[in-house]
Amino acid sequence: MHSDHAWIGEQAFAHGTEPPLVVKYGAHVDALKFARAALYDPRGIGLLVGPEHSGKTTAIQCLAAQLPDSVAVAVVDADGLGPEQLLTEALAGFGYVTELERADELLKLLNMFAVQQTRRGEAPILLVENLDLAMPATLRALNLLATLTAQSRPALRFLLTSRSRHRKLLSDKRLSAIAARLVATFRLGPLSASEAGTYLHKRLEAVGIRVPDDVFPVDVCDALHAVSNGRPGLLNDAALTALSRAARLPVRLADLDQLSPAEDGDDAPRDQSTPPRLILSRDTAVVREYTFSERKVLIGRSEFADLLIADGHVSKLHALLVLYSDALVLLDLNSVNGTLVNSVHVSSIVLASDDIISVGHHRIKVVDAPQPVRPRRIEPSVADTSKMKTLADMRRQQRLRAVAAREDTARRS
């Protein structure tokens, strides 16, 4: 790795930066609003759900920092913890260092502390990460904590996070008290493409990069957003890897070809038995079908292309499709005439089944694509290739808009 690139990557995108770099975006702000509302509801329990790398830990850390100093707050990661360990760490977070080892004794001490705090004003807050990874005995301990009361009100408030299985968890009898007090569940969504660009640039600015475009141009930001599914943790990893692979700055789209797919922790992994298919057509006539046998498919009129398209309006290396465990990503390779998906020009996008890719005079219909994790950014108006706008139609509209703009300028002058 080039030394300049190493410094930029480690300072802006490495995990555990000190002080932590936090960039606000829509889903993050909404998660914090939800958490505060749930904690100050009389029931006092909220559940924050999202796949791995979706920003739940950052939201927890920000929430803990924003709560008033008068409120006792403890943060515990339940991943793999037994009940004694979880209770010990919770007490330590509240400022109690104890030599007690038995779960019943620890529960009594925590109960005494929570009741005292509640009677003085505000019930303590316990922020528990990775509820879905907790041991069964630990779930029972948390449920017992949810039954604690003082002056006829809950003596302990919770914000819980889970990567998946939250519906099954909440139907478990071991969490009956938590389910009864649960105010609501909030799913932490991904960054949009524009938010991802802002996120990357603000992290660069925070470490002294005055012109972030000199590191990550807009098209590269869009591509990083696509390969990360808009998850901030994966976006950081992708940015760090891109900087490590780039021979020079700014990073180019070609540098992203070497990015390794990240494992996904979502609720519904894709069925790998049905690979995606591409249906290539021209003037409504099917030219050929292509079934994915490799992770990457190169589209163009070069003889080296996997999906060869004999069309003078298609670049030799026009676009690249990359298949991940949970997404099919399209990257335009700086083609001369551009790439459209559902009649909209794109530089990169996560594809869905029935999407129509337009390159030159040809159309490519996507079949059996993985279900996108993030909300669809572009919705097809029709699913059939014969009814999609042609490249000539798009150019005609652009020329008409340009003529109208010139005429308007002439009238004003």
Side-chain angles (χ1 to χ4, degrees), residues 259-280:
L259 286 175
S260 299
E263 290 296 325
D264 186 69
D266 200 41
D267 295 0
R270 183 173 66 90
D271 181 6
Q272 300 288 343
S273 63
T274 307
R277 290 184 295 123
L278 306 173
I279 301 176
L280 177 67

Side-chain angles (χ1 to χ4, degrees), residues 319-372:
L320 179 69
L321 297 180
V322 184
L323 179 63
Y324 296 93
S325 63
D326 64 338
L328 178 60
V329 177
L330 179 146
L331 300 173
D332 180 86
L333 300 178
N334 291 323
S335 60
V336 174
N337 293 312
T339 303
L340 287 76
V341 174
N342 304 327
S343 303
V344 178
H345 277 282
V346 298
S347 57
S348 63
I349 192 172
V350 177
L351 297 168
S353 292
D354 293 331
D355 276 352
I356 305 297
I357 306 169
S358 300
V359 290
H361 297 295
H362 287 72
R363 307 290 174 266
I364 304 168
K365 185 172 182 177
V366 180
V367 180
D368 292 330
Q371 181 67 31

Side-chain angles (χ1 to χ4, degrees), residues 386-402:
S386 65
K387 295 183 181 179
M388 300 304 293
K389 294 179 182 178
T390 64
L391 185 61
D393 292 334
M394 297 294 293
R395 287 175 175 165
R396 190 178 301 111
Q397 290 179 11
Q398 289 173 351
R399 287 197 297 270
L400 289 173
R401 285 197 294 268

Side-chain angles (χ1 to χ4, degrees), residues 280-282 287-288 298-302 305-316 318 359-364:
L280 177 67
S281 64
R282 177 167 180 168
V287 177
R288 64 173 293 200
L298 184 62
I299 298 172
R301 58 183 174 85
S302 166
D306 302 298
L307 185 59
L308 176 61
I309 302 177
D311 186 332
H313 291 90
V314 174
S315 299
K316 289 184 177 181
H318 194 102
V359 290
H361 297 295
H362 287 72
R363 307 290 174 266
I364 304 168

